[in-house]
Amino acid sequence: MNQEIDWANLSFGYMPTDYNVRCTYKDGKWGEIEVSQDPYINVHIAATGIHYGQEIFEGLKAFRGKDGKVRIFRLDENAKRLQSSARGIMMEPVPVELFTEMVKKVVKLNERFVPPYGSGASLYIRPVEFGISAQVGVKPAKEYVFIIFVTPVGPYFKTGFNPSNICIMRKYDRVAPQGTGRWKVGGNYAASLEAGEKAHELGYSAVLYLDPKEKKYLDECGPANFFAIKDGKYITPASDSILPSITNKSLQQLARDMGIEVEPRHITVDELADITEAAACGTAAVASPVGEIHDLDTGEKYVISKDGKPGPITTALYNELRAIQNGDVEDKHGWITIVE
Ligand SMILES: *Cc1c(COP(=O)(O)O)cnc(C)c1O
């Protein structure tokens, strides 16, 4: 164990670790897994990933339990989503078995960076794939590289699990209606930077996007999914421009386990007046409770948390998901892979 790392005060940033793993697709097949200590890559100046944005990624985490074991959360789901993203922008899908083997390998190789149980910190796993063949014409690449690096990240809520405010700004879209929103494509992030920075400048933690076609329904919440509690039900936007969050899918299951009805459906902006809890969800935070939602175009202010605290259902879901990740409760749904 690295005694010198202040786990509880780590940020969500990059800290060097010992190894990364790589695999290249060339001549119609994936090669051998390479283990590297080099944080740099040597890429051709005409690589399609650089010029035409043929780039996709994933994000998942490993946690150390009280028993000392390292647990990776829903790795098969991330493997499948990476394949879906690859197909979406005509890249070569990474086989699920290869993805799984590489994730386990890179975590094992960097085991000394998996934060201790109880620190609230975790090991963030970042798989990335992009086109590397030298091309100038706009066509899918013939060669791809798939790389996974890991870095320890601190607890998301350093000052406690508290609500933050988000905003609606209709002049920004993250993606097009039938565009790349449902895939984890780097370009979607580039397209969201201006709105995100603007929101932060104004003191909001994220932008609550509306559907890019009609601007009527709630869509993504910054780089996370959105869910709310209305009439005791878990409601979450159903839309083709949303990235299917594995955290959201897991919270929906846990909600059903608690006897809460789950409704993935269109949610109108007006409905915000009737919701009792709301949160942004994703791997980074699990669930980040929302205090108020300010519609900057209409001036409407929806006060979701009346007492400035996270709601009871959001809190229960957050605690249950974290307990599964940390190995504190039984993994009823088979979401955990233990790194041997
Ligand atoms: C990654 C991501 C999420 C969250 O997905 P998880 O699988 O829960 O981490 C949500 N929205 C967008 C746009 C994302 O890129």
Side-chain angles (χ1 to χ4, degrees):
M1 198 58 49
N2 313 44
Q3 298 307 341
E4 70 277 15
I5 300 178
D6 182 6
W7 302 105
N9 288 310
L10 280 178
S11 65
F12 191 80
Y14 178 80
M15 170 188 284
T17 52
D18 293 335
Y19 301 98
N20 59 80
V21 292
R22 304 157 181 223
C23 192
T24 304
Y25 180 86
K26 211 177 159 182
D27 300 326
K29 58 178 196 305
W30 289 97
E32 296 295 315
I33 299 171
E34 295 162 45
V35 174
S36 174
Q37 286 188 280
D38 187 358
Y40 291 91
I41 46 172
N42 197 10
V43 177
H44 196 280
I45 54 173
T48 60
I50 298 173
H51 294 264
Y52 304 129
Q54 253 200 324
E55 187 273 346
I56 56 177
F57 65 100
E58 272 301 327
L60 61 162
K61 281 179 173 176
F63 306 85
R64 194 180 297 275
K66 206 185 258 174
D67 54 9
K69 290 183 182 160
V70 177
R71 290 171 171 77
I72 306 174
F73 187 68
R74 304 202 78 172
L75 123 86
D76 52 324
E77 288 289 330
N78 291 91
K80 286 189 272 177
R81 192 170 65 189
L82 186 77
Q83 290 196 323
S84 157
S85 299
R87 293 193 181 98
I89 59 167
M90 304 208 74
M91 295 172 60
E92 183 63 29
V94 174
V96 171
E97 309 71 49
L98 179 62
F99 181 97
T100 306
E101 189 185 342
M102 285 175 69
V103 168
K104 287 185 185 165
K105 190 170 192 123
V106 74
V107 172
K108 184 77 198 164
L109 285 167
N110 294 289
E111 202 181 330
R112 70 186 187 98
F113 293 99
V114 183
Y117 175 78
S119 62
S122 56
L123 187 73
Y124 184 70
I125 306 164
R126 169 52 64 86
V128 60
E129 182 188 355
F130 50 92
I132 53 169
S133 37
Q135 286 171 214
V136 179
V138 181
K139 303 195 271 335
K142 292 187 188 73
E143 295 168 11
Y144 295 90
V145 67
F146 176 55
I147 302 172
I148 312 180
F149 72 77
V150 296
T151 193
V153 293
Y156 191 87
F157 299 104
K158 288 209 172 44
T159 54
F161 180 59
N162 292 318
S164 63
N165 296 345
I166 60 176
C167 65
I168 296 172
M169 295 189 282
R170 282 169 192 71
K171 74 169 178 156
Y172 294 107
D173 288 313
R174 192 183 70 94
V175 291
Q178 297 297 319
T180 54
R182 74 198 90 167
W183 304 309
K184 215 167 173 78
V185 168
N188 295 343
Y189 278 72
S192 71
L193 287 176
E194 191 187 344
E197 289 301 300
K198 182 84 196 162
H200 292 154
E201 259 169 47
L202 297 171
Y204 298 101
S205 63
V207 180
L208 179 55
Y209 290 98
L210 300 188
D211 76 280
K213 191 170 179 193
E214 296 181 76
K215 303 268 179 182
K216 236 168 98 180
Y217 308 111
L218 309 184
D219 218 76
E220 286 276 10
C221 187
N225 276 188
F226 178 84
F227 73 84
I229 306 298
K230 184 185 176 193
D231 301 328
K233 291 181 192 165
Y234 181 113
I235 60 173
T236 188
S239 153
D240 280 343
S241 49
I242 290 181
L243 194 275
S245 153
I246 297 161
T247 310
N248 191 358
K249 187 173 173 178
S250 309
L251 293 172
Q252 290 178 38
Q253 181 61 53
L254 298 178
R256 280 190 225 99
D257 294 352
M258 291 173 189
I260 296 165
E261 220 177 295
V262 174
E263 276 183 358
R265 62 167 172 84
H266 284 328
I267 303 170
T268 60
V269 178
D270 299 343
E271 279 188 78
L272 290 175
D274 304 318
I275 65 177
T276 51
E277 300 182 32
C281 62
T283 294
V286 173
S288 177
V290 171
E292 297 182 12
I293 303 173
H294 297 178
D295 187 328
L296 300 186
D297 300 305
T298 63
E300 198 74 51
K301 290 190 174 172
Y302 302 95
V303 180
I304 313 297
S305 167
K306 309 280 189 267
D307 58 2
K309 296 200 189 96
I313 297 178
T314 304
T315 306
L317 290 170
Y318 171 80
N319 288 336
E320 181 65 15
L321 190 65
R322 293 202 54 209
I324 295 172
Q325 293 175 329
N326 291 322
D328 292 337
V329 296
E330 190 200 340
D331 172 28
K332 273 189 286 195
H333 299 288
W335 289 344
I336 300 295
T337 301
I338 292 183
V339 179
E340 308 284 0

